Amino acid sequence: MIKRHEFHKPNRALQLYAAFFMGLLYIPILFIPLFSFSSGLYIRFPIEGWTFQWYAQLFERTAVLRALENSVRVAGSVAVVSTLLGIFAAKALVRYRIPGKGPILGFILLPLVVPPIIFGVALLLMVSTLGIPLSLYTIAAGHIIICLPFAIATLLPRFEGYDAAMEEAAADLGENGWYVFWRVTVPIILPGIVASLLLTFTVSFDEFVMAFFLGGNDLTLPLYVWGQLRIPRAFPVVLALGTLILLFSFALVFLGLKINKRGSIKIMDRE
Amino acid sequence: MTITHSSDGLGTTGARRGTSSLRRLLARFESLRGLALLAPTLVILGITVIVPFLLMSAMSLWTQIGFDYADDWSVRNYTTILSEPLYTTLLLRSLGMAMAATLLTVVLAYPMAYFLAFHVHRNKLVWLIIITLPFWTSYLLRVFAWRVILGYEGVINSGLMEIGLIAEPLNVLLYSRTAVIITLAHAWAAFALLPIYVSLEKIDKSVLEASADLGEGPVMRFFRVILPLSMPGVIAGTFLMFIPTVGDYVTPALVGGPNAQMIGNLVQLQFGTVNNWPMGAALAITMILSITLVGLLFLGLMYALRRWAR
């Protein structure tokens, strides 16, 4: 019989600490939805009354809707492009013998760690030197740098997780390359593709620093929020908008991570 | 350069049989195929990362004159950064504040990672997802939440006044270095936690049982077995959190006052109101170099500590 040591037993102190830690993590964020329903113009206790008026005001503002549309367009294209690039890159890194594989992967994953302001500023320098006007396209270019590591981190474990023999078998049975890719590879890595799309969409949708440096006159939602933060009177509406953004992002990321199982956590091993 | 999409899955089939020269040729062919798949990514990153970075390095050696630059290739920007107290103060302060936030987070995250690795047996994935969820979502809003909490009429002040603990709002909460450090620690918690968790999770449970069987108590076992084996995760977590936080400018801008501005704010100013792009480029590069230097020092310290511990 396996001897049971005390480290298998539940530890009351640690359980309490876990509850405390989760509180630290979530309670600060929960003040945003809480006060978004407060009828007072100022964010303070006591809460005078409850209202939906800030949400109603939100949908009357065309600037919000336009920013939302811009954000969805940028995030949608960034998600598709970085996931497509991620599929090819992850396949290459897992399936092929490539000289300098380690450094290449390190380089691709670099934006996970390097302060985004560095990439934002450097890209801004190049874009303005070339005379390219700042627009949603320049924001998207910046977002691709940030989203690629997430796409690859999500997709790599998918390729590592299955046997290349399946593709080889299909090829041996006479299927051509594209057919093998669409009928064998894609279905197997599909959860990774969906997860990558969801995660990169959210990262781009919520990204601020790159958008701040690379944005022109068209605002994304985070840029709109930033502009409103200078006006204390606008805080209640920002809280309502923030609540919706958080809810939307949490749902997408939860779904993405759930579909992806442990992929994005496994990547931490590599660093 | 043209990008060819040769995304068929046949890379490894042929290389098994055949003479050695044919095999070598196919091997080269195979890595070419792999490189072709990687090419789009590398080309895009080349255009959006490497070229801009080279340009930034070059521009840091230029000088701003009015609305134009002079490409006079001098290190004047760097000598200004090193000699003007404003720049060195902000640089050192950023490194110090990032260190404080990192230390705070690693200390707070370690027990949580320990709990996850050793005491959560069911629904581990859901736990991990819930812990990492906030990290994926709007950074701006998470920072804004702290402004709501720490503000002059914010949650803490109005809450304390409501229950009668204080009569006047506390001035010290918002617009302080502490506010920035707390906010940074909160915003990046998952980044420090995950690598620690992974390294704890990897520890072979039989090693723990062996140490217990050999008569070590829980405390000694933690310090002599678990902590040393999880150090790679602690070091990784420290780096993952320290590096990005040094360059942060959103948090100091929103919850830090004039005394809590960081080097990122200074960089942003050069590209905004100050309009001295070459200086901004030089500051960004100085930031990277100083992060690298501190990182190397930290690694050296860890290495020395390990040798001393043996």
Side-chain angles (χ1 to χ4, degrees):
Chain A
M1 205 185 98
I2 300 161
K3 204 170 141 197
R4 282 300 201 185
H5 286 294
E6 71 270 30
F7 43 80
H8 293 293
K9 289 186 214 128
N11 181 327
R12 185 64 49 182
L14 263 180
Q15 282 171 350
L16 275 175
Y17 183 80
F20 164 75
F21 187 91
M22 296 311 272
L24 275 187
L25 203 58
Y26 273 93
I27 288 171
I29 305 170
L30 289 177
F31 283 113
I32 291 182
L34 177 72
F35 280 99
S36 74
F37 295 110
S38 157
S39 59
L41 194 54
Y42 299 100
I43 306 167
R44 64 178 171 210
F45 288 120
I47 291 175
E48 293 152 22
W50 305 96
T51 178
F52 279 106
Q53 64 160 315
W54 311 122
Y55 288 88
Q57 277 191 26
L58 205 55
F59 291 101
E60 289 163 10
R61 296 192 180 184
T62 46
V64 174
L65 298 176
R66 213 176 316 123
L68 173 68
E69 195 199 320
N70 290 340
S71 279
V72 170
R73 275 170 57 199
V74 170
S77 350
V78 168
V80 170
V81 171
S82 47
T83 300
L84 273 178
L85 291 173
I87 293 171
F88 293 137
K91 183 177 162 118
L93 288 167
V94 175
R95 286 281 178 271
Y96 295 90
R97 272 192 302 262
I98 293 168
K101 195 181 274 191
I104 290 177
L105 183 61
F107 171 64
I108 296 174
L109 294 181
L110 210 56
L112 276 179
V113 195
V114 175
I117 190 173
I118 304 275
F119 294 106
V121 161
L123 204 52
L124 171 67
L125 284 176
M126 184 183 77
V127 160
S128 74
T129 307
L130 293 175
I132 300 170
L134 296 176
S135 66
L136 294 178
Y137 293 101
T138 44
I139 296 180
H143 282 183
I144 287 175
I145 307 175
I146 302 227
C147 289
L148 255 175
F150 290 112
I152 290 182
T154 309
L155 288 158
L156 264 185
R158 288 282 148 188
F159 279 100
E160 279 165 351
Y162 81 94
D163 196 347
M166 296 217 240
E167 288 170 350
E168 288 169 21
D172 286 346
L173 291 170
E175 303 297 355
N176 71 38
W178 275 108
Y179 190 88
V180 172
F181 181 72
W182 282 114
R183 298 302 298 270
V184 181
T185 313
V186 169
I188 294 175
I189 60 163
L190 193 60
I193 296 176
V194 176
S196 167
L197 285 172
L198 289 169
L199 295 174
T200 50
F201 183 92
T202 318
V203 169
S204 166
F205 188 78
D206 283 344
E207 206 282 336
F208 170 70
V209 178
M210 287 292 200
F212 178 81
F213 283 102
L214 298 166
N217 292 325
D218 289 326
L219 300 183
T220 60
L221 268 185
L223 290 176
Y224 177 81
V225 169
W226 174 259
Q228 298 294 301
L229 290 184
R230 266 176 264 153
I231 318 160
R233 285 178 57 87
F235 278 11
V237 178
V238 172
L239 289 170
L241 179 59
T243 305
L244 296 178
I245 294 176
L246 284 174
L247 214 61
F248 178 65
S249 311
F250 272 57
L252 286 191
V253 172
F254 187 84
L255 213 64
L257 292 177
K258 188 90 181 148
I259 291 170
N260 189 39
K261 300 272 161 48
R262 322 199 67 150
S264 12
I265 287 140
K266 230 185 245 163
I267 199 71
M268 287 292 182
D269 251 351
R270 220 176 290 275
E271 306 213 17
Chain B
M1 187 181 165
T2 49
I3 302 153
T4 46
H5 289 271
S6 61
S7 44
D8 51 326
L10 312 173
T12 51
T13 30
R16 304 253 161 84
R17 282 165 245 114
T19 63
S20 67
S21 66
L22 182 63
R23 196 179 295 159
R24 221 177 299 129
L25 189 72
L26 279 170
R28 194 178 303 153
F29 183 58
E30 187 199 312
S31 42
L32 276 181
R33 271 243 273 265
L35 281 176
L37 280 176
L38 259 180
T41 300
L42 293 181
V43 168
I44 285 183
L45 286 181
I47 295 171
T48 56
V49 175
I50 294 179
V51 174
F53 195 80
L54 293 176
L55 189 67
M56 185 165 79
S57 312
M59 194 181 265
S60 73
L61 300 172
W62 299 356
T63 317
Q64 181 92 26
I65 297 165
F67 285 104
D68 224 339
Y69 326 115
D71 45 350
D72 51 358
W73 306 105
S74 81
V75 290
R76 198 179 307 149
N77 291 326
Y78 290 99
T79 48
T80 311
I81 291 169
L82 292 178
S83 58
E84 293 256 343
L86 169 72
Y87 298 107
T88 41
T89 309
L90 274 184
L91 195 61
L92 291 175
R93 183 196 289 163
S94 306
L95 294 170
M97 282 166 70
M99 261 182 233
T102 307
L103 188 69
L104 183 65
T105 308
V106 169
V107 168
L108 285 175
Y110 195 98
M112 188 66 204
Y114 184 94
F115 174 76
L116 279 174
F118 295 118
H119 290 278
V120 174
H121 304 293
R122 274 175 302 159
N123 298 328
K124 219 169 208 174
L125 178 67
V126 175
W127 271 91
L128 284 168
I129 291 177
I130 291 173
I131 285 178
T132 42
L133 258 187
F135 159 74
W136 289 86
T137 54
S138 179
Y139 184 61
L140 190 61
L141 289 171
R142 280 179 287 142
V143 178
F144 177 59
W146 283 98
R147 193 180 168 133
V148 168
I149 294 167
L150 301 171
Y152 187 70
E153 289 201 306
V155 170
I156 291 181
N157 271 334
S158 63
L160 288 178
M161 278 164 72
E162 182 66 14
I163 55 173
L165 272 177
I166 52 170
E168 293 273 297
L170 303 170
N171 259 325
V172 293
L173 295 175
L174 194 63
Y175 303 129
S176 68
R177 283 177 214 174
T178 318
V180 175
I181 291 168
I182 290 173
T183 308
L184 286 175
H186 178 254
W188 295 91
F191 241 37
L193 189 142
L194 274 181
I196 300 175
Y197 163 76
V198 168
S199 68
L200 285 168
E201 181 69 32
K202 268 198 298 202
I203 295 177
D204 190 347
K205 301 293 180 289
S206 61
V207 175
L208 303 185
E209 292 180 6
S211 113
D213 288 342
L214 291 170
E216 279 199 317
V219 177
M220 282 312 277
R221 185 171 63 234
F222 176 76
F223 283 106
R224 292 187 53 177
V225 182
I226 299 176
L227 188 61
L229 284 174
S230 65
M231 270 325 267
V234 172
I235 292 171
T238 306
F239 272 104
L240 281 184
M241 181 166 165
F242 174 75
I243 300 172
T245 45
V246 174
D248 190 47
Y249 78 95
V250 176
T251 304
L254 284 181
V255 302
N259 290 323
Q261 296 299 295
M262 291 166 72
I263 192 78
N265 303 92
L266 199 57
V267 172
Q268 191 251 307
L269 274 180
Q270 307 301 315
F271 288 91
T273 43
V274 174
N275 198 27
N276 186 344
W277 288 26
M279 182 49 106
L283 279 168
I285 287 174
T286 312
M287 185 205 291
I288 300 171
L289 292 177
S290 52
I291 291 173
T292 314
L293 188 69
V294 172
L296 289 176
L297 285 175
F298 176 72
L299 273 186
L301 185 73
M302 285 294 127
Y303 182 72
L305 216 66
R306 211 174 93 190
R307 288 192 56 173
W308 171 80
R310 273 196 184 149

